Amino acid sequence: MSPTPNRIVIVTAPSGAGKTSITRHLLHQIPALGFSVSATTRQPRGKEVDGRDYHFIGTDEFRNRIREGAFLEWEMVYEGKYYGTLMSEIEEIWLEDRIPLLDIDVKGALRVMGDARVRTLSLFIQPPSLDELERRLRSRGTDSEDSIRDRLAKAEYEMSHRDRFDRIVINDQLDKACTEAESMVRAFLDS
Ligand code: 5GP
């Protein structure tokens, strides 16, 4: 398999749907994938490390990068908080002969899918239900009540767009969802 430098794998889902666990599984099992570290203006949470989980930057710097055209896509994912995929990050991964794996929100994913410069495989991770999603967000214990409400409202909107993605992975059992996602990505890499 020799990856051509225009392929991108996107994993998207409502926050709390298990996207991070599935992303980690894919990166661990498929060395040809490289994680695209997004830029964001939100504060680091828990054990997050700058440059590994996100590039944590200030709002002015983020806006400058937008003006420079540095992003493949960017969104204000939550009120006042920007998130974006840097083109430089993608190009670096392609240069290593690997395929970027993007863990981004639904709007950002749709934007990348509509970009003629890239060929994408998009996976939508669906939580079993909105009630279950709420339970997961609460048990994670890292989000404030306001942030949980924000995330649930956004999840409803995101679920309504799921049919626009190449594949839907229902995450009612994490192991099964990981295996399913892995075989979808392997098929794309072999195509
Ligand atoms: P969190 O704050 O929980 O890390 O991420 C919130 C949401 O932003 C998640 O759905 C995550 O996938 C999304 N996200 C992370 N990076 C990016 C990005 O570069 N672009 C877009 N559009 N969304 C992102």
Side-chain angles (χ1 to χ4, degrees):
M1 178 198 61
S2 120
T4 48
N6 69 347
R7 290 191 292 180
I8 285 182
V9 174
I10 305 171
V11 178
T12 193
S15 168
K19 184 168 39 136
T20 309
S21 309
I22 293 174
T23 301
R24 282 208 191 107
H25 172 87
L26 292 174
L27 290 166
H28 190 250
Q29 295 299 322
I30 309 179
L33 294 174
F35 182 61
S36 158
V37 180
S38 295
T40 183
T41 61
R42 83 150 162 76
Q43 294 299 311
R45 270 200 312 251
K47 290 186 181 151
E48 285 178 336
V49 174
D50 186 33
R52 185 194 68 188
D53 299 290
Y54 281 105
H55 299 291
F56 294 101
I57 64 177
T59 305
D60 286 349
E61 188 182 345
F62 200 102
R63 290 191 181 135
N64 283 338
R65 307 303 305 268
I66 294 175
R67 272 194 292 274
E68 291 163 10
F71 290 107
L72 173 62
E73 62 75 36
W74 62 270
E75 290 292 330
M76 186 176 279
V77 175
Y78 299 110
E79 195 50 41
K81 303 289 175 221
Y82 290 104
Y83 293 73
T85 306
L86 290 161
M87 203 57 218
S88 55
E89 191 78 21
I90 300 298
E91 278 165 355
E92 224 171 273
I93 298 170
W94 279 338
L95 271 177
E96 293 165 357
D97 254 0
R98 294 193 298 160
I99 293 169
L101 175 66
L102 276 54
D103 166 347
I104 62 177
D105 85 329
V106 164
K107 277 193 191 165
L110 292 171
R111 241 180 245 288
V112 178
M113 288 158 70
D115 191 313
R117 290 173 294 179
V118 297
R119 183 155 79 85
T120 55
L121 170 72
S122 56
L123 307 185
F124 182 94
I125 314 300
Q126 184 180 324
S129 68
L130 287 172
D131 284 349
E132 172 62 15
L133 190 66
E134 181 168 0
R135 201 191 57 69
R136 286 186 194 174
L137 285 173
R138 289 190 191 290
S139 68
R140 180 158 95 170
T142 50
D143 302 275
S144 66
E145 191 55 36
D146 270 4
S147 152
I148 289 175
R149 264 198 299 274
D150 245 26
R151 281 163 196 264
L152 286 172
K154 191 163 139 58
E156 243 182 287
Y157 163 86
E158 295 187 320
M159 293 280 258
S160 71
H161 286 278
R162 68 189 154 197
D163 292 334
R164 299 175 65 182
F165 296 93
D166 294 324
R167 309 297 295 268
I168 298 176
V169 177
I170 299 176
N171 186 13
D172 50 0
Q173 249 183 286
L174 185 59
D175 283 2
K176 190 168 80 61
C178 284
T179 311
E180 263 179 41
E182 186 183 333
S183 61
M184 291 168 187
V185 173
R186 286 193 189 281
F188 176 68
L189 299 195
D190 289 342
S191 68

